[in-house]
Every structure is written in structure tokens, then in C-alpha cells.
Amino acid sequence: MSKESNAYIVTFSIGMILVIAIVLGLVKEFTKDAQRQAVELDTQKQILSAIVPLDKIGQTGAEINAYYEKHIESIAVDVNGDEKTTNQEGEKIIPEKVSIRKEFKKKEKSEKILPVFKFKDDAGKVTAYILPVYGNGLWDNIWGYIALEPDMKTVKGAVFDHKGETPGLGARIADSEVENRYKGKTVSDETGKLVGIQMIKGEGNVEPGALTKNEVDGLSGATITARGVNAMLENYLGLYENYIQKVKKSSADNSSELEEIALVK
């Protein structure tokens, strides 16, 4: 067969495609465990970064993994606030492996799996509840984690990320300066109703002291992204509302029991 014939060129091209496909397949197979570990480590980093600077944890994957194992207890709940241990197929749910993007896209709230990551201090006491949030920005999806104090209304920390928001504008939601604006704010109003936190329109136009407990300063030139963040917090935290109320009630009941024990003594 002549090397200049069409048949040779087609045969050679098909052969090269097969070789490349086999090589890529082998590379994927041999690096499968490393890729899985990298994804798991990245998930741990995102969860922890909502409440503690990563540079205080360590630099290596082993250090971060050890810190995560010591301080995070994970569960999954449904929209009723009840704990879920298996999915619809009867498989065990591992909260860290739940795809928030896929759960976000489920139309039926009753089918959504909602991970909860409890942060424990060195003594084992739960000092924060870290909840994932997911929504739509200007160009694509946005997401993050928000850490609530045990009162389930005060924000202890927040971290956001995005897929394609505008650099220097909407992409600033992932800047620590913007994320830190949420610390100390509350996701409930004075009546206890879950309302989220509103990023106001415009930036630097209102004195920090004039903002309410449910407001943070806005992003100049990124009004639609800011609206996306607002909707993400209100809507996605809304899925956790029953769980939030249950934790509040449990905390209140425990406090009453402790008071009764103190009176008896």
C-alpha cells in the first residue's frame, strides 16, 4: 500500500487514534487512585476552609487529612431534617462524596441528599455546622460552604467559589475579603425565620455600621452575581431549614435539662 494513498492515510490515522486511546485509558486506570485521593483532599480543604485558614492546619495532604478526621463529623439529612444513611439505590451515603451539583439539579426537594459537616474542637464539642450551598451566578454555577455557630443562625465563616464569573467583578466572591464580610452576620431575622444574607447593590455606599445583621456590602459592577449569591444562600439554606430547627430545639432541650439538674443539686 502506497504511503501516499488515501487508504494508507485512513488506516494510519485509525491506528494512531487506537494507540492514543489505549495509552490514555491506561494512564487513567493507573492514576485512578491518585485522582480519587486528590478529589477527596480538595473536598476536605473546601469544607475546612469555611472555618479555619488552611495554613494553620498544615501543608501536606496527610496533615490536612489528619486534621479533618479529628475535627469533622459528617452526616447527611433530607429536606425534613431527618438523617439519611442510604440513597434510593440502598447504597451507603458518604457525605463527602455527595455531588452537590447533582443534588442541586434534582427537581424534587424530597429526593435531595443534604450533607452536614459538624466541626468539633479539641475536646470533641461541636462548635460549628458547615453546610454546602449551590446556585447560579451570572455565567455559570456558583457554590460554597457556610459555617454556622451552634445557635444555627450566626455565620462563623464562609467560602465561595465559581466556574466562570467575570474576573475582577463577580469572581471576587471567592476573595477572602468578601467572604469575611459574612462572619458574624445572621441567616435568620428577629423572629427566627430563615432569610439568608443579602449582598446589597453597589459597594462602599453604606457605612458598615448601617448594614443590618442580614446584609453585607455589595460588589461594584457585579450586581447579577451578587443576586446569585443572595438566592443561593436563601434557597439552599432553605433546604436545611428543618434540620436547623431540629438542632435549635435539641440545644434548647439540653439547656433546659442542664438547668433542671443544676436546680436539683
Side-chain angles (χ1 to χ4, degrees), residues 104 106 120 144 176 192-194 210 230 242 253 263:
F104 171 72
K106 289 181 178 176
K120 296 181 176 180
S176 58
K193 180 184 176 183
L194 190 67
N230 294 343
N242 285 323
D253 291 345
L263 287 173

Side-chain angles (χ1 to χ4, degrees), residues 3 7 11 29 34 38 43 67 73 96 106 139 142 153 158 163 169 188-189 214 221 225 234 241 264:
K3 291 185 178 180
T11 303
E29 183 64 25
T43 300
Y67 189 92
E73 174 190 346
E96 288 81 359
K106 289 181 178 176
W139 302 112
I142 55 177
K153 66 177 184 180
K163 185 175 182 180
L169 297 174
S188 304
D189 63 15
N214 303 114
T225 301
E234 184 174 352
E241 184 160 17
V264 169

Side-chain angles (χ1 to χ4, degrees), residues 6-242:
N6 289 337
Y8 176 83
I9 294 173
V10 171
T11 303
F12 180 80
S13 298
I14 293 175
M16 286 300 296
I17 290 172
L18 288 174
V19 170
I20 292 172
I22 291 171
V23 170
L24 290 176
L26 289 173
V27 170
K28 182 179 180 182
E29 183 64 25
F30 285 125
T31 60
K32 186 168 60 177
D33 287 344
Q35 291 179 27
R36 177 182 54 77
Q37 291 173 3
V39 170
E40 291 177 358
L41 181 63
D42 184 62
T43 300
Q44 292 178 352
K45 285 181 176 178
Q46 290 185 49
I47 295 168
L48 290 172
S49 62
I51 196 167
V52 58
L54 292 179
D55 58 4
K56 292 187 176 180
I57 297 175
Q59 299 296 322
T60 70
E63 290 173 323
I64 293 171
N65 184 261
Y67 189 92
Y68 186 90
E69 293 295 326
K70 179 180 180 180
H71 291 280
I72 296 293
E73 174 190 346
S74 61
I75 63 170
V77 300
D78 60 20
V79 74
N80 296 317
D82 298 324
E83 187 169 350
K84 284 179 69 71
T85 56
T86 58
N87 60 21
Q88 289 182 319
E89 289 73 37
E91 300 166 336
K92 181 181 179 181
I93 296 173
I94 300 175
E96 288 81 359
K97 293 186 178 180
V98 173
S99 170
I100 307 303
R101 182 177 65 85
K102 290 182 179 178
E103 298 304 316
F104 171 72
K105 291 184 176 181
K106 289 181 178 176
K107 292 183 179 179
E108 296 297 329
K109 291 183 179 179
S110 60
E111 296 180 359
K112 293 179 186 290
I113 300 172
L114 307 169
V116 176
F117 304 99
K118 302 176 186 178
F119 183 86
K120 296 181 176 180
D121 61 16
D122 289 338
K125 181 182 178 182
V126 176
T127 58
Y129 293 80
I130 304 171
L131 308 177
V133 291
Y134 207 95
N136 296 312
L138 172 59
W139 302 112
D140 213 314
N141 292 128
I142 55 177
W143 60 88
Y145 291 88
I146 187 160
L148 300 180
E149 299 271 6
D151 64 8
M152 299 305 282
K153 66 177 184 180
T154 307
V155 177
K156 196 164 188 173
V159 59
F160 301 122
D161 209 341
H162 64 93
K163 185 175 182 180
E165 297 309 289
T166 309
L169 297 174
R172 290 178 57 211
I173 61 172
D175 290 353
S176 58
E177 184 273 325
V178 175
E179 293 167 342
N180 288 338
R181 297 176 186 177
Y182 287 82
K183 290 182 180 178
K185 296 292 182 177
T186 59
V187 298
S188 304
D189 63 15
E190 294 179 350
T191 67
K193 180 184 176 183
L194 190 67
V195 295
I197 298 171
Q198 297 297 307
M199 182 177 281
I200 65 173
K201 185 177 181 180
E203 185 168 7
N205 299 324
V206 179
E207 292 295 327
L211 296 168
T212 71
K213 280 287 190 180
N214 303 114
E215 292 178 334
V216 297
D217 200 8
L219 296 178
S220 180
T223 302
I224 297 179
T225 301
R227 288 176 185 166
V229 174
N230 294 343
M232 174 175 71
L233 291 177
E234 184 174 352
N235 296 334
Y236 218 86
L237 287 178
L239 297 173
Y240 285 92
E241 184 160 17
N242 285 323

